[in-house]
Amino acid sequence: MAGKLYLCATPIGNLEDITYRVVRTLKEVDLIGAEDTRNSIKLLNHFEIKTPMTSYHEFNKYDKAKVLVEMMQQGKNIALITDAGTPGISDPGEELVRQCYEAGIEVTSLPGAAACITALTMSGQKTRRFCFEAFLPHDKKEKVQVLEELKDETRTIILYEAPHRLEKTLQELLKTLGNRSITLCRELTKRYEEGMKTTLEEAITYYQDQEPRGEYVLVIEGKSFEELKQEQISQWEKMSVQEHVDYYIAQGHDKKEAMKLAAKDRGVSKRDIYSELI
């Protein structure tokens, strides 16, 4: 019988956050794939786990995944851990999972710590709807594209950021999103854990005098539906009524439907649109 892949969540700071199930599984599997074996050996030693490890990281994720899948096809059970948190969340684990599904290998996830969820729940921002972007792209054009997509995002936005890039990222967020409410969470579950709820402008001012320290999770307020609606109305008002109706006709709507859609965009009645056109 084929083996199984266990995605094991490990602590993001406080070692007490590991689960009994994860400790037992790490002891029972045949092999542990770790993002950084030098870092993970400290965790294994703390819990007296003697299972052998192998490296699985961003730079070998494709080829090493094939090796691990072959081992599971031969009946080996393998656990995957990341440096901190849940494998597959903003790390190379997703590639191994993808290859497992292609090969028919069973995959299960053992829940535990995740920095994005930990930060969201303590942020004071809205939690019912949210989107997770992890780290913004390093490539300048890709970053601009992602930020433009986030500009009209109505859900709460979660980002990761390193301390040496924090100030620049805050400036870019302010320029693109406007002055939103933001909660900056750092050193989660550790001794100097901090959650600071403020605004983008105030955060920029604060970090002009304070050196950013620790890994950050940024939890940012989404755009309100009312603000989005007003911006859309303002956009349409820059067009003439005829241009607005022609816009929808060009998309394949008949004139009657185009008038109806234009009226909805402008917050007026269909009769008002008709009157303008004649």
Side-chain angles (χ1 to χ4, degrees), residues 92-105:
E94 62 179 338
E95 174 61 24
L96 179 57
V97 172
R98 185 188 68 79
Q99 290 195 29
C100 281
Y101 273 94
E102 287 183 353
I105 300 294

Side-chain angles (χ1 to χ4, degrees), residues 3-73:
K4 189 173 180 178
L5 176 65
Y6 296 83
L7 303 173
C8 294
T10 53
I12 58 177
N14 193 318
L15 290 179
E16 293 180 358
D17 290 336
I18 201 166
T19 68
Y20 291 118
R21 185 182 173 205
V22 166
V23 172
R24 176 179 57 79
T25 300
L26 292 178
K27 288 181 178 180
E28 293 177 352
V29 294
D30 299 294
L31 182 67
I32 297 171
E35 191 172 8
D36 186 340
T37 55
R38 294 168 300 178
N39 179 64
S40 296
I41 193 64
K42 301 172 187 176
L43 177 75
L44 300 194
N45 287 341
H46 181 82
F47 291 103
E48 299 181 347
I49 297 168
K50 307 298 183 182
T51 307
M53 274 193 300
T54 187
S55 63
Y56 177 80
H57 48 71
E58 184 65 31
F59 303 105
N60 72 353
K61 63 181 180 182
Y62 298 107
D63 293 335
K64 192 59 173 283
K66 293 177 183 177
V67 174
L68 296 178
V69 166
E70 287 178 3
M71 293 178 67
M72 285 182 277
Q73 288 174 325

Side-chain angles (χ1 to χ4, degrees), residues 54-253:
T54 187
S55 63
Y56 177 80
H57 48 71
E58 184 65 31
F59 303 105
N60 72 353
K61 63 181 180 182
Y62 298 107
D63 293 335
K64 192 59 173 283
K66 293 177 183 177
V67 174
L68 296 178
V69 166
E70 287 178 3
M71 293 178 67
M72 285 182 277
Q73 288 174 325
Q74 295 168 9
K76 300 292 185 182
N77 290 315
I78 295 177
L80 183 68
I81 59 177
T82 183
D83 280 348
T86 301
I89 302 296
S90 189
D91 87 347
E94 62 179 338
E95 174 61 24
L96 179 57
V97 172
R98 185 188 68 79
Q99 290 195 29
C100 281
Y101 273 94
E102 287 183 353
I105 300 294
E106 186 178 355
V107 178
T108 188
S109 183
L110 282 60
C116 55
I117 298 301
T118 303
L120 175 65
T121 55
M122 65 177 277
S123 68
Q125 306 291 350
K126 294 181 179 179
T127 60
R128 189 177 71 84
R129 301 169 63 251
F130 62 92
C131 67
F132 174 60
E133 280 291 337
F135 290 94
L136 291 172
H138 291 298
D139 181 82
K140 190 174 181 179
K141 289 184 179 179
E142 287 183 29
K143 184 190 291 187
V144 169
Q145 183 179 349
V146 170
L147 287 172
E148 281 298 318
E149 289 177 359
L150 294 176
K151 187 176 181 179
D152 291 330
E153 178 59 67
T154 57
R155 296 171 293 179
T156 298
I157 302 163
I158 305 174
L159 301 174
Y160 288 163
E161 194 50 276
H164 64 279
R165 290 195 300 266
L166 179 66
E167 293 180 75
K168 182 179 179 181
T169 296
L170 291 173
Q171 292 280 4
E172 292 169 333
L173 289 169
L174 177 63
K175 181 180 177 181
T176 308
L177 307 182
N179 191 27
R180 306 272 187 92
S181 172
I182 180 174
T183 305
L184 298 98
C185 301
R186 69 180 190 93
E187 295 295 277
L188 291 171
T189 77
K190 300 176 185 177
R191 182 178 180 182
Y192 296 107
E193 175 183 276
E194 180 183 37
M196 183 174 74
K197 191 171 189 288
T198 180
T199 65
L200 282 167
E201 285 184 351
E202 290 171 348
I204 290 168
T205 301
Y206 178 81
Y207 284 108
Q208 287 174 350
D209 299 322
Q210 299 289 330
E211 180 185 358
R213 294 187 176 183
E215 297 299 316
Y216 283 81
V217 183
L218 312 180
V219 187
I220 308 160
E221 174 188 32
K223 180 174 285 187
S224 70
F225 286 110
E226 185 58 35
E227 184 182 0
L228 184 61
K229 182 179 178 181
Q230 290 301 318
E231 287 182 1
Q232 289 171 340
I233 290 174
S234 177
Q235 175 189 350
W236 294 122
E237 287 176 344
K238 293 176 183 177
M239 287 184 177
S240 69
V241 173
Q242 185 65 62
E243 288 172 335
H244 199 159
V245 172
D246 288 343
Y247 167 80
Y248 283 117
I249 291 175
Q251 290 188 340
H253 297 281

